Amino acid sequence: MRVSVFDTYVQKKNGAVMHFDILVPADLKDAEKIHTYGREYLAQKGQEGQALSTSECRFCHIEEADDNVVADIDRQGYSIIEMQGCNN
């Protein structure tokens, strides 16, 4: 499966920055749906209400998904790769 990768930086409630990638099927072009996925992830991390738009979330590239990403997308429509500041 080919996926689009959206490089995302969000300021947390404590002022620190979360950096994560949102991966979606490559044919998904609906920015609002992609941002909704990002907001769902932020809520899971206790960061609901933080700004997430095209300013924070930008298309980066398309790549071939590994099995874990495919399983996430099959289950919930997207996958998240945590890069920095996601667990504090």
Side-chain angles (χ1 to χ4, degrees):
M1 170 188 284
R2 295 185 53 73
V3 294
S4 295
V5 178
F6 288 82
D7 198 28
T8 308
Y9 293 85
V10 173
Q11 185 169 349
K12 294 166 61 171
K13 293 176 181 179
N14 68 5
V17 173
M18 288 177 75
H19 175 203
F20 56 94
D21 289 343
I22 304 170
L23 287 72
V24 297
D27 61 351
L28 178 61
K29 307 293 185 202
D30 183 346
E32 187 53 40
K33 186 167 190 100
I34 295 162
H35 296 158
T36 297
Y37 291 152
R39 288 185 201 101
E40 286 176 10
Y41 169 72
L42 288 171
Q44 293 169 12
K45 292 294 188 172
Q47 298 298 319
E48 58 280 331
Q50 298 306 98
L52 196 146
S53 67
T54 54
S55 297
E56 294 81 22
C57 178
R58 297 192 179 161
F59 173 77
C60 184
H61 64 276
I62 294 177
E63 65 183 43
E64 195 65 32
D66 66 26
D67 292 341
N68 292 330
V69 169
V70 171
D72 285 347
I73 290 172
D74 286 346
R75 183 173 43 83
Q76 65 188 8
Y78 65 98
S79 184
I80 299 290
I81 297 177
E82 296 178 333
M83 307 295 276
Q84 177 182 20
C86 297
N87 292 318
N88 309 14

